[in-house]
Amino acid sequence: MYESANVADDADRTAFRRAEKKYKLYYEQDSKFTRKKKLPKPIDLSELLDFNLISQDYNKNGVLPDGIRVSKVDSSPVFCIENRPGFYFIPGALSLEEQCKWIKESLTNFPQPPNRTNHNAIYGPIADLFDSAKDNKVLVQEDLTNNKWKFYEEEDIAKAKQSSRKSVSASVLLRKLRWSTLGLQFDWSKRNYDVSLPHNNIPDALCQLAKTHAAIAMPDGEEFRPEGAIVNYFGIGDTLGGHLDDMEVDWSKPIVSMSLGCKAIFLLGGKSKDDPPHAMYLRSGDVVLMAGEARECFHGVPRIFTDEKNTEIGALESELSHESGHFFAEYIKTSRININIRQVF
């Protein structure tokens, strides 16, 4: 049922790269199917850590798998991996209400200027992207010299004599939204924080949530200071390659990472990509902390699950539809959002 990797092809790959390749989404190569109808190739998921099941087992029987321990038990257990000190996994840490709130914020307010997104490089600042997509608007280049763009109703483009200009639909731009930054702005070209860039502060409610979850990973007597955040947006087939988050000054302070939307696979490697990574599920509402030595570990997301059988977000979709109409639910049913909050200095 499962295809084994070609040994010769893998000979020059690191352990981390082999795991990325193993779990990445590939389609069956069958000429009967178009790309949209291609079936995902089956993969062996038996080695993945499932902290949801581990938590259920622990709550019921007090039993833990080898190499896993409980760091602290409050309203719910916090799990650690013995050979990855500084890594904490809190399954189901966010309530359904909190998940809905931060999905909506991530799509409406977090990409708002002056916060930067991946679209800035081509289109400059784009305001009200989500609402424009919902209203089927089109972004049109008005001024070639200064690269100014403006949203139009589709039927108004010809009237405004803009039909010959470059244009792109808001719905396409929303689906191509890959990241936004809030708080102190991260400059991806220079790979550092540019304190001179204007920005919106991280919302107080999100700061408080991050402080609450970060507390277990903080050095004694210190409180987490949320100063910057990067929001990642994943669609069908999107991945996040193995990397380090190493631009913050003090690695003893955790990165607080909140998962929203479709289930994903997360790889937690070691200090070298030659170290075999732990593979685990990330579900909507899970929170991960990486502090101290764990900050030196390569990590990434090789896959999100967007098929209805594996997304595990039925309750979330229903709640979003009930609260805010179908548009948020339609977006999240094939998407994952990750909010990771950092103390920069």
Side-chain angles (χ1 to χ4, degrees):
M1 181 178 179
Y2 302 107
E3 296 189 358
S4 57
N6 183 295
V7 176
D9 286 348
D10 283 347
D12 61 345
R13 296 180 185 273
T14 63
F16 198 98
R17 183 68 187 97
R18 287 196 294 273
E20 288 180 313
K21 184 182 177 184
K22 174 181 177 178
Y23 293 117
K24 186 178 178 180
L25 174 63
Y26 292 103
Y27 291 100
E28 297 282 11
Q29 297 300 313
D30 191 325
S31 59
K32 292 187 299 183
F33 298 109
T34 65
R35 178 175 174 82
K36 288 187 177 179
K37 293 182 180 178
K38 279 181 180 177
L39 297 175
K41 284 186 178 181
I43 57 171
D44 183 359
L45 302 173
S46 62
E47 295 180 353
L48 265 74
L49 288 169
D50 188 335
F51 281 104
N52 190 35
L53 292 180
I54 290 171
S55 181
Q56 291 175 24
D57 236 15
Y58 178 76
N59 289 332
K60 185 177 179 180
N61 305 313
V63 175
L64 290 172
D66 291 342
I68 304 297
R69 61 182 177 85
V70 173
S71 178
K72 176 183 177 183
V73 177
D74 193 358
S75 57
S76 60
V78 178
F79 297 102
C80 302
I81 299 175
E82 288 180 352
N83 65 358
R84 295 293 184 271
F87 176 81
Y88 303 82
F89 194 111
I90 314 173
L94 305 180
S95 68
L96 205 56
E97 181 182 356
E98 288 173 319
Q99 293 172 53
C100 290
K101 175 183 174 65
W102 297 118
I103 286 170
K104 290 186 284 187
E105 288 289 306
S106 296
L107 292 172
T108 56
N109 290 329
F110 293 169
Q112 286 285 82
N115 293 346
R116 298 167 67 81
T117 77
N118 57 292
H119 289 319
N120 277 67
I122 298 175
Y123 305 103
I126 301 177
D128 305 319
L129 175 58
F130 186 82
D131 287 340
S132 297
K134 191 165 60 173
D135 295 337
N136 295 314
K137 290 186 177 180
V138 177
L139 189 68
V140 178
Q141 189 175 29
E142 286 197 310
D143 184 340
L144 276 68
T145 304
N146 298 303
N147 195 35
K148 289 187 177 179
W149 298 71
K150 181 181 177 180
F151 280 118
Y152 283 87
E153 302 285 350
E154 207 162 4
E155 60 270 21
D156 291 338
I157 295 176
K159 294 179 188 176
K161 297 182 180 178
Q162 303 285 5
S163 55
S164 62
R165 296 289 176 89
K166 290 181 181 178
S167 64
V168 58
S169 72
S171 59
V172 167
L173 288 173
L174 181 63
R175 276 298 170 190
K176 289 186 175 181
L177 182 64
R178 292 293 172 264
W179 55 263
S180 63
T181 50
L182 54 154
L184 295 177
Q185 299 290 286
F186 190 77
D187 187 329
W188 294 87
S189 62
K190 299 176 183 176
R191 280 192 52 77
N192 63 20
Y193 289 91
D194 188 341
V195 297
S196 69
L197 291 173
H199 60 269
N200 294 326
N201 291 330
I202 301 173
D204 289 342
L206 186 57
C207 284
Q208 190 53 53
L209 192 62
K211 287 179 182 179
T212 298
H213 290 303
I216 191 173
M218 287 295 291
D220 288 343
E222 295 189 46
E223 184 179 68
F224 184 65
R225 295 197 312 272
E227 295 170 327
I230 298 174
V231 185
N232 297 114
Y233 306 83
F234 298 80
I236 296 172
D238 287 343
T239 63
L240 183 63
H243 66 284
L244 299 175
D245 294 301
D246 54 2
M247 290 297 107
E248 292 73 37
V249 172
D250 186 353
W251 290 6
S252 72
K253 309 302 190 296
I255 288 180
V256 182
S257 178
M258 303 178 183
S259 288
L260 303 166
C262 293
K263 186 173 71 177
I265 295 175
F266 178 72
L267 297 178
L268 175 66
K271 296 180 182 180
S272 163
K273 285 191 174 183
D274 292 321
D275 298 325
H278 295 277
M280 64 198 77
Y281 289 115
L282 275 175
R283 293 178 173 86
S284 192
D286 291 343
V287 169
V288 162
L289 309 173
M290 295 180 70
E293 286 190 46
R295 291 291 300 268
E296 301 176 59
C297 293
F298 285 92
H299 55 282
V301 178
R303 183 168 186 163
I304 72 163
F305 295 93
T306 56
D307 58 298
E308 191 173 346
K309 179 182 176 183
N310 288 300
T311 57
E312 298 188 27
I313 56 170
L316 179 61
E317 284 184 60
S318 298
E319 186 70 16
L320 279 170
S321 296
H322 175 71
E323 275 189 8
S324 311
H326 75 282
F327 209 79
F328 287 103
E330 279 298 310
Y331 177 90
I332 209 63
K333 73 191 298 182
T334 57
S335 304
R336 174 179 181 263
I337 297 172
N338 173 246
I339 305 173
N340 50 87
I341 304 155
R342 299 114 184 281
Q343 180 171 322
V344 177
F345 299 112

